[in-house]
């Protein structure tokens, strides 16, 4: 009887020991998880402090820049196009104006620029009209205030895009393919073209022509699209046969006109005839990533 009681007591102790070990194991796992979370929180503190410091510095700099501004208001409005240039109206108000205060407005896009005097309106605004080429994509507009013989300059707009307000940003890609029957000097050429665009609401593509030239002689052409707000897709055009002459070139040209009368031109691909008139290879001198060449209409819009 005593032996059975002893065996039962030992079994109970073993069960209690096993349960205790399991509980300790889960407790250790929980402590490990909490320790990892604590370590993560602690490690993120320097980053949070750094972000807070950077945010505070940015806010202080913004306040300092605002305090240093000499203008209290400015606006830039676009006007009519004429002879490839856009009328840009600038209006601004100064925080302080004295009797000897004069203001000029200047613009520069890295290639061109100019400065015009601003006139003071009865409402207290200084206004000026600029004439900026419509092809300008990033023009800096600045105010120059002269007071007591000292010039102070403030940038009103760092990257004004006149182009995107009026003209269409065409993305065009094209390639010439060819095949030749062995033993002949005649090849069949065809063009694959993809065109898409970002257009302002006041403009759209009126007509696109795709042309294939042998040297400077037009071989064939076809209309790619008409009256398109935006186009996208691959299409084969201008399949034609041509006689291969060593040294000749075949050029694929895209010409698009828009509803404002502007013309966009680009050579999409060019092949050179080599190996005695038996091979056509890509012209390495052609910049296939070049943008469209833009021409203004012959008369003002």
């Amino acid at each position: 009887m005593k032996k059975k009681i002893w065996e039962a007591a030992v079994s109970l102790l073993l069960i209690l020991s096993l349960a205790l070990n399991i509980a300790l194991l889960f407790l250790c796992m929980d402590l490990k998880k909490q320790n990892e979370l604590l370590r993560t929180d602690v490690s993120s503190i320097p980053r949070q402090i750094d972000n807070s410091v950077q945010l505070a510095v940015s806010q202080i700099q913004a306040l300092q820049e605002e305090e240093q501004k000499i203008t209290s208001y400015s606006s830039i409005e676009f006007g009519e196009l004429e002879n490839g240039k856009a009328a840009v109206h600038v209006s601004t108000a100064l925080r302080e104006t004295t009797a000897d205060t004069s203001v000029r407005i200047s613009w520069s896009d890295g290639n061109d620029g100019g400065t015009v005097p601003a006139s003071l309106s009865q409402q207290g605004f200084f206004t000026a009209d600029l004439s900026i080429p419509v092809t300008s994509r990033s023009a800096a507009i600045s105010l120059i205030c002269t007071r007591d013989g000292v010039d102070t300059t403030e940038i009103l707009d760092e990257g004004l895009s006149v182009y995107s307000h009026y003209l269409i940003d065409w993305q065009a890609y094209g390639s010439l393919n060819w095949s030749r029957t062995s033993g002949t000097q005649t090849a069949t050429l065809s063009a694959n073209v993809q065109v898409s665009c970002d257009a302002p609401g006041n403009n759209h593509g009126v007509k696109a022509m795709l042309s294939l030239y042998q040297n400077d002689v037009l071989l064939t052409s076809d209309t790619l699209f008409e009256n398109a707000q935006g186009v996208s897709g691959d299409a084969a055009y201008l399949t034609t046969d041509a006689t291969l002459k060593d040294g000749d070139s075949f050029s694929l040209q895209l010409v698009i006109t828009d509803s404002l009368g502007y013309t966009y031109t680009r050579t999409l691909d060019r092949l050179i005839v080599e190996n005695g008139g038996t091979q056509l290879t890509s012209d390495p001198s052609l910049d296939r990533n070049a943008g469209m060449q833009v021409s203004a209409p012959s008369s003002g819009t």
Side-chain angles (χ1 to χ4, degrees), residues 1-15:
M1 184 66 180
K2 291 182 178 180
K3 183 178 180 180
K4 291 183 178 179
I5 294 174
W6 174 254
E7 289 178 350
V10 171
S11 298
L12 179 61
L13 288 173
L14 289 174
I15 292 172

Side-chain angles (χ1 to χ4, degrees), residues 104 135 259:
R104 291 166 289 159
T135 52
S259 58

Side-chain angles (χ1 to χ4, degrees), residues 39 95 181:
R39 185 183 298 111
R95 293 181 184 272
T181 303

Side-chain angles (χ1 to χ4, degrees), residues 230-247:
V231 292
S232 181
D234 295 308
Y237 291 86
L238 307 183
T239 299
T240 187
D241 293 333
T243 301
L244 303 182
K245 297 179 182 179
D246 202 30

Side-chain angles (χ1 to χ4, degrees), residues 10-81:
V10 171
S11 298
L12 179 61
L13 288 173
L14 289 174
I15 292 172
L16 291 174
S17 176
L18 179 60
L20 180 60
N21 287 333
I22 293 174
L24 289 173
L25 177 61
F26 279 105
L27 179 60
C28 290
M29 292 175 64
D30 185 61
L31 289 173
K32 182 180 179 181
K33 183 177 180 180
Q34 292 183 19
N35 186 53
E36 290 176 349
L37 292 174
L38 180 61
R39 185 183 298 111
T40 301
D41 292 340
V42 171
S43 63
S44 66
I45 290 176
R47 183 170 60 254
Q48 293 173 356
I49 294 175
D50 184 59
N51 291 338
S52 298
V53 171
Q54 290 182 1
L55 178 60
V57 170
S58 299
Q59 291 175 341
I60 292 173
Q61 289 177 343
L63 288 173
Q64 290 176 338
E65 291 175 358
E66 183 66 24
E67 290 177 354
Q68 293 172 357
K69 289 180 64 174
I70 60 175
T71 61
S72 59
Y73 164 84
S74 65
S75 70
I76 298 175
E77 298 177 351
F78 294 97
E80 297 296 322
L81 285 177

Side-chain angles (χ1 to χ4, degrees), residues 25-292:
L25 177 61
F26 279 105
L27 179 60
C28 290
M29 292 175 64
D30 185 61
L31 289 173
K32 182 180 179 181
K33 183 177 180 180
Q34 292 183 19
N35 186 53
E36 290 176 349
L37 292 174
L38 180 61
R39 185 183 298 111
T40 301
D41 292 340
V42 171
S43 63
S44 66
I45 290 176
R47 183 170 60 254
Q48 293 173 356
I49 294 175
D50 184 59
N51 291 338
S52 298
V53 171
Q54 290 182 1
L55 178 60
V57 170
S58 299
Q59 291 175 341
I60 292 173
Q61 289 177 343
L63 288 173
Q64 290 176 338
E65 291 175 358
E66 183 66 24
E67 290 177 354
Q68 293 172 357
K69 289 180 64 174
I70 60 175
T71 61
S72 59
Y73 164 84
S74 65
S75 70
I76 298 175
E77 298 177 351
F78 294 97
E80 297 296 322
L81 285 177
E82 185 175 358
N83 298 326
K85 292 190 175 182
V88 178
H89 181 76
V90 180
S91 178
T92 184
L94 301 182
R95 293 181 184 272
E96 296 181 7
T97 303
T98 61
D100 68 337
T101 299
S102 65
V103 172
R104 291 166 289 159
I105 303 296
S106 70
W107 70 273
S108 175
D109 62 4
N111 297 315
D112 199 358
T115 302
V116 299
S119 58
L120 183 61
S121 68
Q122 293 182 349
Q123 292 76 24
F125 293 100
F126 285 93
T127 63
D129 292 307
L130 306 176
S131 182
I132 304 177
V134 70
T135 52
S136 178
R137 293 179 179 268
S138 182
I141 311 298
S142 300
L143 175 144
I144 305 170
C145 174
T146 303
R147 187 182 292 126
D148 297 328
V150 178
D151 287 345
T152 303
T153 301
E154 182 176 308
I155 298 176
L156 304 179
D157 196 311
E158 290 186 294
L160 182 71
S161 178
V162 181
Y163 188 106
S164 63
H165 186 80
Y166 298 95
L167 302 185
I168 302 174
D169 188 10
W170 296 100
Q171 297 87 43
Y173 307 92
S175 62
L176 279 172
N177 304 305
W178 68 280
S179 62
R180 182 182 70 90
T181 303
S182 179
T184 69
Q185 295 294 109
T186 301
T188 300
L189 296 99
S190 62
N192 293 314
V193 177
Q194 182 181 36
V195 179
S196 60
C197 72
D198 295 318
N202 61 344
N203 199 355
H204 67 273
V206 173
K207 188 173 184 179
M209 292 294 297
L210 199 61
S211 302
L212 179 60
Y213 290 86
Q214 184 172 9
N215 298 326
D216 296 325
V217 179
L218 178 64
L219 290 179
T220 184
S221 63
D222 196 7
T223 300
L224 185 62
F225 62 80
E226 290 184 298
N227 293 320
Q229 295 289 345
V231 292
S232 181
D234 295 308
Y237 291 86
L238 307 183
T239 299
T240 187
D241 293 333
T243 301
L244 303 182
K245 297 179 182 179
D246 202 30
D248 279 3
S249 66
F250 292 93
S251 300
L252 178 65
Q253 188 179 78
L254 175 66
V255 178
I256 306 174
T257 55
D258 67 16
S259 58
L260 298 179
Y262 283 78
T263 302
Y264 309 75
T265 305
R266 182 181 163 198
T267 299
L268 301 178
D269 197 12
R270 184 184 296 125
L271 300 179
I272 305 297
V273 183
E274 296 181 336
N275 297 330
T278 63
Q279 184 73 26
L280 281 166
T281 59
S282 295
D283 184 358
S285 66
L286 178 65
D287 184 2
R288 288 167 175 76
N289 295 318
M292 290 283 197

